[in-house]
Amino acid sequence: MRAGPSQEEIRRHNLGALLRHVHLGGPTSRAELTSRMGLNRSTIMALTADLTAAGLVREELPRETGRAGRPSLVVRPESARVYVFAFDVGVDRLVAARVGLGGAILDRRETVRRRGPFSLEEIVGPLAGFARQMRRKTRPDTVCVGVAAAFSGGVDRGNGVVRFGPNMGPAEDVPFAEEMNRRLAFGMPVKVGNDANLAALAEHSRGVGVGCRDLIYLHGDVGVGGGIIVNGQLLGGHAGFGGEIGHMVVNPKGRLCGCGSLGCLEAEVGERTLLEAAGRAPGAPQGVGGPRGADRARGAAEEPGAPHGAVSVAAGPRADGFEAPERGADGRRERLIGRDAVRAVVDAADRGDIVAQAALSRVGDWLGLGVANLVNIFNPEMVIFGGMLREVYLGSAAQVRSRLAVDALSASREGLRLRTSALGDDATLMGAAELAFAQVLADPLEVLARAGS
C-alpha cells in the first residue's frame, strides 16, 4: 500500500499550481488565488512568499479596487527575470524568441526558410545564432529555465528525433534535439514537439480554447497538422505521433499527398491545392484557373512516377511539379507562396473573384468532410483553425458548416463551436514556450536552483 504524499510533495505541488495560475492567468490577487486553489489565506501567503523569495513572482498593491477595506495584494509573474527560449521550425520560416514567465515575448528573431531539402546546419545554425544574440542582451540577474522547439514534422518525444516531415523535404530520423543541444550548450536539454500538437496546447492553455476540456486544433502550413485535446490532455499516441490529421484519407481516388498516399486531407485542402484551383500556383501561366486549369495542374502533379513532397523556392523546376516564382516571355508571372498567397486568394474571393470563390468552395467542402469525421470520432466541444487554415476557414465557413450539417452526427455536433486561432501565427511558437516552461511550473524552486547554479 502506497503512503500518501509527504508535506514536502504537497508544498511542491501547490507552489507549481500557484505559479501556473499566475503564468497563464496573469496578475492575480491573493484572494482570487485562495478561491481558485481551494487553500486558506495563510497557505497562499506562505506559497507566494516562497515564490517571491525565489524571484519567480512579485507582490504589489492593486492599482484600483473600488472597494472599501484593505485590498488584497496582486501576484505578478517576474516576466523580465525568468524566461525560456522558444523556437519554431516551419516550412517557410525559422523563428527564435525569448519568452518571459507569463507568456510575454521579450525578444525575437525571424528569417525566411528556403523550402525543400535541408541540412541540419541550415536550421540549427540560424536558430542557435539567434539564441546567443538574445542571451547576450539579457541582464545579469535574469535566468533561463527551459529551451524548446516546435518542428513541422513527426517528432519522437523520447529523444527529439524528427522521424518524418513530408513538407520539409526528406526529413527522416533527423537528430534535431541532439544537434541543438550541442550548438547551444546552455546546460539544459532542448525539448522538441510537433508544431500542431504544441499549438493545440497553447490555444488550450492561453488562447481561444481556455476552459475547454475537449478540442481539436487544425493547423495549416503548406500541409495540414493537428492536435487533439481530450479531457484536458493532449492525445499523443503510443510514441507521440498522434494527431496527424492531415494524413487522414478523405478521398481514396484523390490527389497525391507528399506522404505517398492518395486523397489525404492535406492533399485536398493544402496550400498547393488551393493555389492551383485559384489559378495562382507559382509559375502558372496568367489566366490558368477554374476547374479546367486545376484539373490540368492536378494531372501533371499526379503523373505516375512524378516526384512529390520536397519543394524549393529557387528559380526553375521544383520537386512538386511547380516552378518557382519568375517572370518571363512565356506569360509566367511572379506569384506569392505560403500564407500570403492563401490570404490573397481569400481577399480576391471577398472582392468577387469567381475563380477564387470556386477554389475556396472546393477546398472548404473537403475541409468540412475532414472536420465531420473528427467530430464523429472525438465529439469535441470546439474545433480551432490555425495557421493557413485560419484564412481558409474564414473564406469557406459556409461550405464547412454545410458539410458538417450533412456528415456529422447531430448528437456529436450539438454545442460544437468552430473558432479561429487567438494566437495567430505565433500559436506554434507559444506552444514551444509552454513546453519549455513545463518543468519550472511542475517544480519551481528545484528547477530555478538548477538553472541558477
Side-chain angles (χ1 to χ4, degrees):
M1 182 175 176
R2 187 182 181 278
S6 67
Q7 287 298 312
E8 179 56 31
E9 288 172 326
I10 293 172
R11 173 176 169 272
R12 190 161 53 239
H13 167 80
N14 287 338
L15 284 167
L18 192 153
L19 187 61
R20 179 177 292 277
H21 276 292
V22 176
H23 170 65
L24 296 176
T28 309
S29 71
R30 280 188 190 174
E32 288 178 276
L33 290 169
T34 299
S35 175
R36 291 179 189 178
M37 296 180 64
L39 301 174
N40 60 46
R41 289 190 299 175
S42 61
T43 300
I44 293 295
M45 187 187 306
L47 294 172
T48 54
D50 286 343
L51 293 174
T52 299
L56 288 161
V57 302
R58 68 180 186 274
E59 292 186 288
E60 301 175 346
L61 286 170
R63 292 185 175 89
E64 293 181 10
T65 64
R67 297 179 181 178
R70 185 178 179 182
S72 176
L73 291 176
V74 172
V75 184
R76 296 177 180 273
E78 283 284 13
S79 300
R81 180 178 184 273
V82 182
Y83 68 91
V84 298
F85 282 111
F87 305 107
D88 182 15
V89 181
V91 175
D92 289 325
R93 66 174 191 166
L94 300 175
V95 185
R98 191 167 66 88
V99 182
L101 189 66
I105 296 179
L106 306 173
D107 196 359
R108 71 183 290 158
R109 304 284 190 280
E110 183 170 343
T111 188
V112 174
R113 178 187 173 271
R114 178 183 61 84
R115 289 188 177 187
F118 66 91
S119 68
L120 262 179
E121 175 58 30
E122 290 176 320
I123 291 179
V124 173
L127 293 179
F130 288 157
R132 285 193 291 269
Q133 289 173 16
M134 290 186 285
R135 198 177 199 190
R136 283 196 294 268
K137 292 176 61 179
T138 61
R139 302 194 315 257
D141 64 334
T142 61
V143 57
C144 176
V145 295
V147 185
F151 201 103
S152 182
V155 179
D156 188 319
R157 63 187 175 193
N159 55 20
V161 170
V162 179
R163 296 293 302 277
F164 58 87
N167 293 303
M168 296 287 289
E172 294 185 2
D173 296 330
V174 177
F176 177 70
E178 178 183 337
E179 186 61 17
M180 283 293 291
N181 276 318
R182 187 184 71 80
R183 291 292 296 272
L184 289 174
F186 283 175
M188 59 189 68
V190 177
K191 297 181 178 181
V192 186
N194 169 263
D195 59 347
N197 278 192
L198 295 181
L201 288 171
E203 289 290 345
H204 175 251
S205 62
R206 61 169 64 253
V208 71
V210 169
C212 182
R213 300 287 294 173
D214 297 273
L215 65 81
I216 295 174
Y217 173 86
L218 288 166
H219 185 79
D221 186 6
V222 179
V224 174
I228 302 166
I229 305 288
V230 176
N231 196 27
Q233 299 296 317
L234 179 70
L235 191 64
H238 171 65
F241 302 120
E244 287 294 335
I245 292 168
H247 298 290
M248 169 178 59
V249 175
V250 294
N251 184 12
K253 295 183 179 180
R255 299 171 59 90
L256 182 65
C257 180
C259 72
S261 295
L262 292 176
C264 291
L265 181 65
E266 174 175 304
E268 302 296 344
V269 308
E271 173 196 318
R272 174 180 173 181
T273 299
L274 178 65
L275 298 186
E276 283 184 358
R280 293 166 179 260
Q286 180 71 12
V288 173
R292 291 183 180 179
D295 287 345
R296 286 198 298 271
R298 172 180 169 180
E302 296 182 1
E303 182 179 352
H308 58 275
V311 295
S312 169
V313 296
R318 290 183 0 183
D320 62 355
F322 289 168
E323 291 186 3
E326 60 179 333
R327 190 183 298 276
D330 60 355
R332 298 185 184 277
R333 57 173 293 181
E334 184 176 355
R335 295 187 186 273
L336 298 170
I337 60 171
R339 296 180 191 180
D340 288 340
V342 172
R343 288 167 182 148
V345 172
V346 176
D347 288 344
D350 287 343
R351 294 194 304 270
D353 185 321
I354 59 173
V355 176
Q357 290 172 347
L360 280 168
S361 179
R362 177 195 183 280
V363 166
D365 194 51
W366 286 116
L367 180 59
L369 178 60
V371 172
N373 288 340
L374 294 168
V375 168
N376 287 338
I377 296 169
F378 294 103
N379 185 210
E381 179 183 348
M382 182 183 292
V383 175
I384 304 169
F385 301 92
M388 176 231 5
L389 287 182
R390 181 182 186 277
E391 278 67 38
V392 171
Y393 172 70
L394 290 175
S396 63
Q399 284 72 32
V400 173
R401 291 181 179 278
S402 177
R403 178 61 83 167
L404 273 170
V406 173
D407 291 329
L409 294 170
S410 59
S412 297
R413 67 173 187 269
E414 282 180 7
L416 176 67
R417 292 176 285 165
L418 303 181
R419 297 289 186 268
T420 55
S421 167
L423 300 175
D425 289 348
D426 281 339
T428 48
L429 181 71
M430 294 308 296
E434 292 306 318
L435 179 61
F437 276 120
Q439 280 194 318
V440 76
L441 296 178
D443 193 353
L445 302 187
E446 175 62 25
V447 171
L448 194 65
R450 289 202 307 266
S453 62

